[in-house]
C-alpha cells in the first residue's frame, strides 16, 4: 500500500472547533486545558469561529457550545475508507482556503503534485468557470481538488470533465440517490437542481508534461441562507436523501467514496479517453432530445439535444442539420422563451 501523506491543518481554532463539534457545552477551563492555551486565548479563537460563519453560544459558569453538532473533515478518516490509496500522494484538509484549485495550481512543481488532493471546510474565493463564484460555506459541502500530471499532452484530456461528471453521478448513486442528470459540459443536476460542478484547470508549461487540477464542488448540507446567493435552482445530498428516504453517511465517508470513483478515472484517462464513459453520460443526459439553446459570448444557437460525440462535443440538430459544439454553455429554453441556466 502506498504511504499517503495525510495532513489535517492543526490551526488552534480548527482544533478548538473539533472539541466543540459535539454540540455540547465545554467550560473555558477545559477547552484551555485540552488545547494548552489560556482562557483569554480561547476567547480570541472563538471569535475566529464567527469568521467562519459559526454561531457559538456562551453561558456564564457553564461554558461554550455550538448551536448544533458539526461533522468536520479529517484526512485520517477519509483515507481509512479509501480503496484507491495507491493513486494518492498527499491528502490535505484545511478549515478555510481561498480556492482549492488555486492552491494546487500554485504547487504544480511540487514533487508530489501528481496524486495530491486538497479539501477545505470553506472557500473564500471558490471559483466556477469564466470568473463565476462557487458558493462555499463552512462545513456544509465538499470542495476538493485533485492534481495530476500526464505526459500524453493536453489533447489526451479532451472530454475529461464529462468523464468526471459520470464519476460524480455514479458516486452519488452508490449512496442510493437516484435521478442524477448531467448537463453538458460540467454540471451534475438532480431534478433540474444543481448538485455539483466541475472546474478543470491546466497549470504551468503546456509544452512539456501537462499538469492539471480537477476541482469539484458537491453540495452535502447547505443552509437555505447560504444557498440564497446562488442564482439558479440548487440542491444538496441531504435534501435528496430525505426526498428519497435514504440515510446519508458523514462527509468524510462521502469524500472517500467520491475519491474512490474519481482517482482511477483521472489516473487512466490519458489512455482510456472518453470512450468508456460515453454511454454512461448519455444515460444521464439532461434535456436529451429536447429543444435547447447553446450560448457562447453574445451568440446562441437553438436545436435538439442529441448528447455527446466521441470527442465530448455536444451534438444538436439545428434546422435539420446535425452540428457539433465544442465550447459555450448549454441552457434550456422553456416554452415561454425564458432561459433556465
Ligand atoms: C462550476 O462552474 O460549476 C464549477 C464549480 C467548481 C467548484 C470547485 S470547489 C473546489 C474547486 N476549487 C474552486 O475554486 N473551484 C472548484 P460554473 O459552471 O461556472 O457554475 C457556477 C454557477 O453555479 C454559479 O454562477 C451559480 O449559478 C451556481 N453555483 C454557485 N455555487 C453553487 C453551489 N454551491 N451549488 C450549486 N450551484 C452553485
Amino acid at each position: 500500500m502506498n504511504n499517503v501523506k495525510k495532513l489535517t491543518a492543526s490551526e488552534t481554532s480548527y482544533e478548538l472547533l473539533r472539541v466543540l463539534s459535539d454540540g455540547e457545552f465545554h467550560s473555558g477551563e477545559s477547552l484551555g486545558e485540552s488545547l494548552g492555551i489560556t482562557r483569554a486565548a480561547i476567547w480570541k479563537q472563538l471569535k475566529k469561529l464567527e469568521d467562519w460563519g459559526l454561531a457559538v453560544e456562551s453561558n456564564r459558569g457553564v461554558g461554550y457550545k455550538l448551536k448544533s453538532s458539526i461533522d468536520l473533515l479529517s484526512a485520517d478518516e477519509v483515507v481509512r475508507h479509501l480503496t484507491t490509496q495507491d493513486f494518492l500522494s498527499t491528502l490535505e484538509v484545511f478549515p478555510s482556503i481561498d480556492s482549492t484549485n488555486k492552491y494546487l495550481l500554485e504547487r504544480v512543481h511540487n514533487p508530489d503534485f501528481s496524486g495530491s488532493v486538497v479539501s477545505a471546510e470553506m472557500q473564500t474565493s471558490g471559483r466556477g468557470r469564466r470568473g463565476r463564484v462557487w458558493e462555499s460555506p463552512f462545513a456544509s459541502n465538499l470542495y476538493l481538488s485533485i492534481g495530476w500530471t500526464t505526459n500524453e499532452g493536453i489533447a489526451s484530456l479532451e472530454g475529461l470533465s464529462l468523464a468526471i461528471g459520470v464519476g460524480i453521478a455514479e458516486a452519488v448513486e452508490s449512496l442510493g440517490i437516484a435521478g442524477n442528470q448531467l448537463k453538458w459540459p460540467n454540471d451534475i443536476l438532480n431534478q433540474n437542481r444543481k448538485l455539483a460542478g466541475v472546474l478543470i484547470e491546466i497549470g504551468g508549461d503546456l509544452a512539456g508534461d501537462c499538469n492539471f487540477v480537477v476541482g469539484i464542488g458537491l453540495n452535502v448540507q447547505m443552509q437555505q441562507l447560504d444557498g440564497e446567493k446562488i442564482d439558479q435552482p440548487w440542491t444538496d445530498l441531504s435534501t435528496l436523501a430525505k426526498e428519497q428516504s435514504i440515510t446519508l453517511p458523514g462527509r468524510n465517508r462521502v469524500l472517500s467514496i467520491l475519491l474512490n470513483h474519481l482517482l482511477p478515472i483521472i489516473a487512466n484517462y490519458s489512455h482510456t479517453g472518453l470512450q468508456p464513459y460515453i454511454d454512461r453520460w448519455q444515460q444521464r443526459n439532461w434535456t436529451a432530445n429536447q429543444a435547447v439553446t447553446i450560448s457562447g459570448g453574445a451568440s446562441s444557437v437553438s436545436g435538439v439535444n442529441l448528447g455527446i460525440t466521441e470527442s465530448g462535443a455536444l451534438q444538436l440538430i439545428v434546422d435539420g442539420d446535425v452540428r457539433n459544439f465544442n465550447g459555450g454553455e448549454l441552457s434550456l429554453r422553456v416554452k415561454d422563451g425564458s432561459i433556465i441556466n
Side-chain angles (χ1 to χ4, degrees):
M1 198 207 293
N2 193 346
N3 220 348
V4 180
K5 257 192 252 164
K6 295 166 284 183
L7 302 161
T8 303
S10 57
E11 289 167 32
T12 313
S13 41
Y14 199 26
E15 302 269 292
L16 170 64
L17 184 58
R18 218 166 273 286
V19 180
L20 290 173
S21 65
D22 59 7
E24 304 290 332
F25 269 112
H26 294 265
S27 70
E29 199 177 358
S30 73
L31 289 175
E33 263 169 29
S34 49
L35 297 169
I37 56 177
T38 63
R39 285 184 68 168
I42 288 285
W43 194 80
K44 227 168 124 191
Q45 298 297 334
L46 286 167
K47 284 273 150 224
K48 270 202 191 164
L49 304 193
E50 286 172 16
D51 294 344
W52 294 343
L54 297 164
V56 182
E57 290 173 17
S58 67
N59 190 324
R60 218 171 239 278
V62 183
Y64 305 94
K65 80 183 273 297
L66 292 177
K67 223 168 147 199
S68 50
S69 64
I70 189 168
D71 174 27
L72 293 176
L73 294 173
S74 145
D76 286 330
E77 271 289 299
V78 174
V79 168
R80 193 165 306 142
H81 299 291
L82 272 188
T83 53
T84 50
Q85 274 111 315
D86 288 352
F87 295 112
L88 207 62
S89 58
T90 62
L91 172 64
E92 291 179 273
V93 170
F94 292 101
S96 176
I97 202 169
D98 46 5
S99 150
T100 56
N101 262 32
K102 180 167 176 278
Y103 178 85
L104 278 188
L105 283 167
E106 286 166 357
R107 285 158 180 79
V108 293
H109 298 302
N110 278 6
D112 50 13
F113 169 76
S114 201
S116 56
V117 173
V118 55
S119 185
E121 303 282 6
M122 75 180 270
Q123 297 183 117
T124 52
S125 306
R127 53 201 199 197
R129 293 176 306 150
R130 299 157 193 245
R132 286 189 289 250
V133 169
W134 188 256
E135 293 299 336
S136 311
F138 195 88
S140 312
N141 301 322
L142 289 174
Y143 319 110
L144 67 142
S145 297
I146 304 169
W148 210 268
T149 305
T150 173
N151 52 20
E152 299 288 326
I154 190 170
S156 71
L157 301 179
E158 190 174 66
L160 176 61
S161 77
L162 303 172
I164 295 293
V166 169
I168 298 172
E170 290 181 348
V172 169
E173 283 152 25
S174 77
L175 298 170
I177 291 173
N180 298 301
Q181 304 154 310
L182 294 172
K183 177 181 164 190
W184 188 89
N186 73 326
D187 287 357
I188 293 85
L189 313 184
N190 193 294
Q191 290 173 52
N192 306 321
R193 299 160 295 179
K194 187 157 173 171
L195 172 66
V198 179
L199 176 67
I200 299 181
E201 297 183 88
I202 311 286
D205 168 17
L206 295 187
D209 283 349
C210 174
N211 301 304
F212 60 98
V213 173
V214 178
I216 296 128
L218 169 64
N219 297 334
V220 180
Q221 189 167 27
M222 189 147 62
Q223 302 298 315
Q224 210 53 41
L225 207 62
D226 293 314
E228 273 169 17
K229 297 176 203 141
I230 301 171
D231 57 1
Q232 62 172 299
W234 61 272
T235 189
D236 57 20
L237 291 180
S238 67
T239 303
L240 296 172
K242 246 181 245 146
E243 288 172 359
Q244 302 185 21
S245 307
I246 279 157
T247 309
L248 208 60
R251 276 189 314 143
N252 288 301
R253 191 69 194 265
V254 176
L255 180 49
S256 319
I257 292 170
L258 198 56
L259 289 172
N260 285 338
H261 280 80
L262 298 183
L263 287 169
I265 295 177
I266 296 170
N268 298 320
Y269 196 79
S270 289
H271 301 289
T272 66
L274 187 58
Q275 189 55 42
Y277 306 102
I278 294 177
D279 285 349
R280 289 143 76 187
W281 197 94
Q282 305 285 41
Q283 286 159 19
R284 301 174 177 87
N285 180 11
W286 180 68
T287 69
N289 304 313
Q290 293 178 38
V292 294
T293 299
I294 186 164
S295 45
S299 61
S300 64
V301 179
S302 294
V304 172
N305 174 0
L306 294 184
I308 54 170
T309 66
E310 288 197 350
S311 65
L314 184 75
Q315 199 161 61
L316 301 185
I317 306 179
V318 181
D319 299 329
D321 294 328
V322 173
R323 284 178 57 185
N324 295 342
F325 295 87
N326 279 301
E329 291 184 46
L330 176 62
S331 48
L332 172 67
R333 175 164 287 173
V334 290
K335 262 196 196 142
D336 64 4
S338 59
I339 304 272
I340 300 171
N341 182 20

